[in-house]
């Protein structure tokens, strides 16, 4: 794992969503993770996909619902459709990734009973590949008496099942609309990524303060707006395993 630091931003959390200054890379064996968890009691915010786990949890979830092959084909089709719509200025999301997600969810989850979605979430649990160094950081924050919040673009349908064995105080996730016990395929909240995630985190801090200090862990570049709010932010890069031995 390689991390880079966002310099401290002062005592009060920043409300500006301006990304932090350029980040300085550090070697994988850097003591940055150890040093980042020293200090007063406060709150640690963790991204999920690509931070606490390897990869993206959404295709995994959809694969449990409709089958892995169909999920992969549906994702490729959603990417093509979003590209065509954005060329015409008609993308359903606020940006290209958001449009891909909106199309993907509508085409794969619309009409799904909530009970089936929750069952698929349970089937995901043994398949998740956890990123052990970040799990250790999370546990150390807990040991230091700090609150832990997971802030993620992943769906609130399956996240509680995946986090069940972790000591997490709160979850900020993307909600799905439900009507008569079935998913409509539409979101019930903003997509909890990038600026929307930063706004959710800002709201959480405002509603759960006062907060002595904040730590944040996430991906580059999608989590930079959230990390810019933190007193101490770490960009997490999970190195892919080489196929060569």
């Amino acid at each position: 794992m390689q991390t880079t630091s966002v310099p401290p931003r002062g005592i009060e959390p920043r409300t500006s969503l301006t990304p932090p200054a350029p980040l300085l890379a550090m070697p994988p064996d850097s003591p940055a993770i150890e040093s980042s968890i020293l200090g007063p009691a406060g709150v640690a915010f963790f991204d999920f996909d690509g931070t606490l786990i390897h990869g993206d949890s959404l295709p995994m979830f959809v694969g449990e619902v409709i089958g892995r092959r169909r999920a992969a084909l549906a994702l490729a089709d959603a990417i093509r459709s979003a590209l065509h719509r954005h060329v015409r200025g008609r993308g359903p999301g606020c940006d290209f990734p958001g449009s891909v997600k909106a199309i993907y969810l509508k085409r794969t989850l619309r009409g799904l009973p909530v009970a089936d979605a929750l069952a698929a979430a349970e089937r995901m649990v043994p398949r998740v590949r956890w990123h052990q160094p970040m799990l250790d950081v999370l546990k150390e924050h807990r040991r230091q008496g700090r609150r832990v919040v997971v802030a993620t673009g992943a769906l609130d349908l399956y996240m509680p099942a995946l986090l069940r064995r972790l000591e997490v105080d709160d979850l900020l996730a993307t909600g799905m609309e439900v009507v008569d016990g079935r998913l409509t395929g539409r979101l019930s909240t903003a997509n909890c990524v990038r600026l929307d995630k930063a706004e959710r985190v800002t709201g959480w801090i405002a509603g759960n303060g006062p907060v002595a200090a904040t730590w944040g862990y996430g991906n580059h570049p999608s989590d930079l707006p959230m990390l810019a709010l933190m007193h101490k932010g770490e960009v997490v890069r999970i190195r892919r395993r080489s196929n060569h031995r």
Side-chain angles (χ1 to χ4, degrees), residues 8-22:
R9 300 288 176 172
I11 299 303
E12 292 298 324
R14 295 171 61 203
T15 56
S16 169
L17 300 184
T18 303

Side-chain angles (χ1 to χ4, degrees), residues 99-130:
S99 291
V100 172
K101 187 172 185 176
I103 295 168
Y104 187 52
L105 293 174
K106 188 173 183 180
R107 293 182 178 179
T108 59
L109 300 184
R110 182 171 53 183
L112 179 71
V114 172
D116 290 354
L118 298 179
E122 294 297 332
R123 294 194 296 272
M124 285 179 67
V125 173
R127 292 186 55 207
V128 170
R129 294 176 56 218
W130 294 97

Side-chain angles (χ1 to χ4, degrees), residues 18-31:
T18 303
L23 304 169
L24 302 176
M26 292 185 291
D29 58 351
S30 167

Side-chain angles (χ1 to χ4, degrees), residues 27-212:
D29 58 351
S30 167
I33 290 297
E34 181 180 353
S35 63
S36 72
I37 54 185
L38 300 177
V43 186
F45 294 87
F46 289 82
D47 174 49
F48 188 70
D49 295 325
T51 299
L52 284 174
I53 70 167
H54 293 258
D56 189 343
S57 59
L58 181 57
M60 185 187 306
F61 172 69
V62 175
E64 292 295 342
V65 174
I66 65 174
R68 299 181 193 180
R69 184 174 183 276
R70 288 180 60 195
L73 293 174
L75 180 57
D77 187 59
I79 293 172
R80 287 193 295 269
S81 181
L83 181 60
H84 291 318
R85 295 188 192 188
H86 269 268
V87 168
R88 301 195 302 270
R90 297 172 55 190
C94 63
D95 55 17
F96 179 71
S99 291
V100 172
K101 187 172 185 176
I103 295 168
Y104 187 52
L105 293 174
K106 188 173 183 180
R107 293 182 178 179
T108 59
L109 300 184
R110 182 171 53 183
L112 179 71
V114 172
D116 290 354
L118 298 179
E122 294 297 332
R123 294 194 296 272
M124 285 179 67
V125 173
R127 292 186 55 207
V128 170
R129 294 176 56 218
W130 294 97
H131 184 210
Q132 189 59 48
M134 288 311 300
L135 286 183
D136 293 341
V137 171
L138 186 153
K139 292 174 183 177
E140 181 61 18
H141 277 295
R142 293 297 306 181
R143 193 183 71 80
Q144 296 282 345
R146 302 180 187 120
R147 287 176 287 179
V148 171
V149 177
V150 172
T152 175
L155 303 183
D156 61 0
L157 286 167
Y158 59 80
M159 284 301 301
L162 302 188
L163 297 177
R164 186 181 299 136
R165 296 183 181 179
L166 297 182
E167 293 187 74
V168 173
D169 295 286
D170 211 346
L171 169 67
L172 305 177
T174 300
M176 291 293 293
E177 183 181 72
V178 177
V179 175
D180 296 329
R182 292 178 178 270
L183 304 181
T184 66
R186 297 187 295 268
L187 301 183
S188 62
T189 69
N191 188 17
C192 191
V193 299
R194 295 176 285 282
L195 292 178
D196 284 321
K197 179 185 290 190
E199 291 175 359
R200 293 277 295 275
V201 168
T202 298
W204 191 96
I205 292 172
N208 293 272
V211 175

